[in-house]
Amino acid sequence: MKIELFYSPGCSQCAAAREGLKATAENVVPGIEWHELNVLEDLDHAVELGVLALPAIAVDGELLFSSLPTPQQLRAALNRRSGVEK
């Protein structure tokens, strides 16, 4: 499973959430591919996925969160995608 976190440099909300979300994702899906994408450098990809606000999270090429999820929301979404309901 591949997770892409879109952020903007200087975004305090993005920076504060990054590590907690990454830890949650790695805990739910061992061996996950975690990518942090600066929206200014990956603008075309962000537009393709429909990113309109930051931070945003895409999983396997699909925009799942167009705004910052809580770790619990991310955990639930990843469990659903991997077929595990917890």
Side-chain angles (χ1 to χ4, degrees):
M1 193 177 295
K2 177 181 175 182
I3 295 184
E4 297 169 304
L5 171 70
F6 290 89
Y7 72 95
S8 176
C11 170
S12 61
Q13 187 178 19
C14 300
R18 245 187 295 208
E19 290 307 314
L21 292 173
K22 182 178 180 182
T24 296
E26 290 174 338
N27 189 18
V28 173
V29 183
I32 200 161
E33 288 182 52
W34 180 268
H35 301 272
E36 295 178 5
L37 303 171
N38 177 340
V39 74
L40 301 175
E41 294 172 356
D42 293 295
L43 186 57
D44 290 341
H45 183 53
V47 169
E48 273 179 28
L49 294 178
V51 173
L52 299 175
L54 299 174
I57 294 181
V59 177
D60 293 333
E62 178 186 346
L63 184 63
L64 283 191
F65 295 99
S66 57
S67 62
L68 183 65
T70 65
Q72 295 80 8
Q73 291 169 323
L74 180 59
R75 178 179 291 110
L78 295 177
N79 281 333
R80 281 191 302 274
R81 288 187 74 87
S82 64
V84 177
E85 292 295 329
K86 290 184 180 179

